[in-house]
Amino acid sequence: MKKIALFVVALVMSVAANAQFEQGKGYLGASLSSVDLSYSGATKGHLGLGARAGYLIADDWMLLGDLAYENQKDMPYALKIGAGIRYYIQQNGLYMGASAALCHQNDINDFKPSIQIGYAFFISRTVTFEPEVYYEHSFKDHSNYSTAGIRLGVGVYLFKDQYKIKK
């Protein structure tokens, strides 16, 4: 009985998410990362805030631009600007992503590529809750500045024809 119920829930979720990630949609997102849910060798406490904008260039493929601020207990704040790509797997909300960012912290500049895996839970027709697991690699100092953690985000998917002016 549990298997049947699980199958029905999975089927409903996949049908509900169908065609959500189609070409031509825009995306706006905000995220909260870590809140001590990440680990890096140099930090004892960590809070990150991020803003993200994207565009679906093809079905299931999104280009993203990122801007982030990180506040860390024992270190000065960090500012990041980056770009990435996200692929939605089988229109069910599960996605994989890769990005790269330039990070400026205390007169130090660092290049940080990142990989992510997450899920876009639709809580309305256009709004999603997006938990994500990520790993960010530091080329400046791997042992102290590379980070693995959890990011919690909210996204808004803007439909292609949603904002056209009607005559």
Side-chain angles (χ1 to χ4, degrees):
M1 187 65 175
K2 287 182 183 180
K3 289 182 182 180
I4 293 172
L6 193 58
F7 174 74
V8 169
V9 169
L11 182 64
V12 168
M13 285 177 62
S14 66
V15 169
N18 192 23
Q20 295 293 335
F21 311 110
E22 62 190 14
Q23 180 179 1
K25 285 186 182 178
Y27 170 82
L28 297 173
S31 65
L32 180 66
S33 64
S34 300
V35 194
D36 285 339
L37 295 176
S38 72
Y39 175 79
S40 91
T43 61
K44 303 271 188 279
H46 178 259
L47 172 66
L49 301 172
R52 186 175 274 177
Y55 184 75
L56 283 136
I57 57 170
D59 288 356
D60 302 328
W61 289 96
M62 182 188 297
L63 288 180
L64 294 163
D66 293 316
L67 184 62
Y69 168 82
E70 293 183 354
N71 189 6
Q72 303 168 1
K73 277 186 181 178
D74 300 336
M75 301 175 70
Y77 67 90
L79 294 174
K80 293 181 187 177
I81 187 165
I85 192 162
R86 184 184 281 184
Y87 175 70
Y88 293 91
I89 302 168
Q90 298 178 358
Q91 292 281 330
N92 65 2
L94 182 66
Y95 63 85
M96 298 182 305
S99 61
L102 293 175
C103 179
H104 177 76
Q105 181 175 12
N106 198 27
D107 296 330
I108 297 172
N109 294 319
D110 195 0
F111 177 70
K112 293 186 170 185
S114 174
I115 56 171
Q116 312 90 26
I117 187 162
Y119 194 87
F121 292 100
F122 278 86
I123 54 179
S124 77
R125 184 170 170 243
T126 59
V127 178
T128 58
F129 172 67
E130 299 179 351
E132 179 177 272
V133 176
Y134 68 94
Y135 173 74
E136 187 175 71
H137 182 79
S138 170
F139 278 103
K140 188 62 86 175
D141 185 353
H142 169 72
S143 62
N144 285 322
Y145 299 120
S146 293
T147 306
I150 297 172
R151 187 176 291 127
L152 303 174
V154 174
V156 177
Y157 290 81
L158 307 170
F159 291 95
K160 319 185 232 196
D161 301 326
Q162 187 174 5
Y163 297 103
K164 284 189 177 176
I165 298 172
K166 296 179 183 177
K167 295 181 183 180

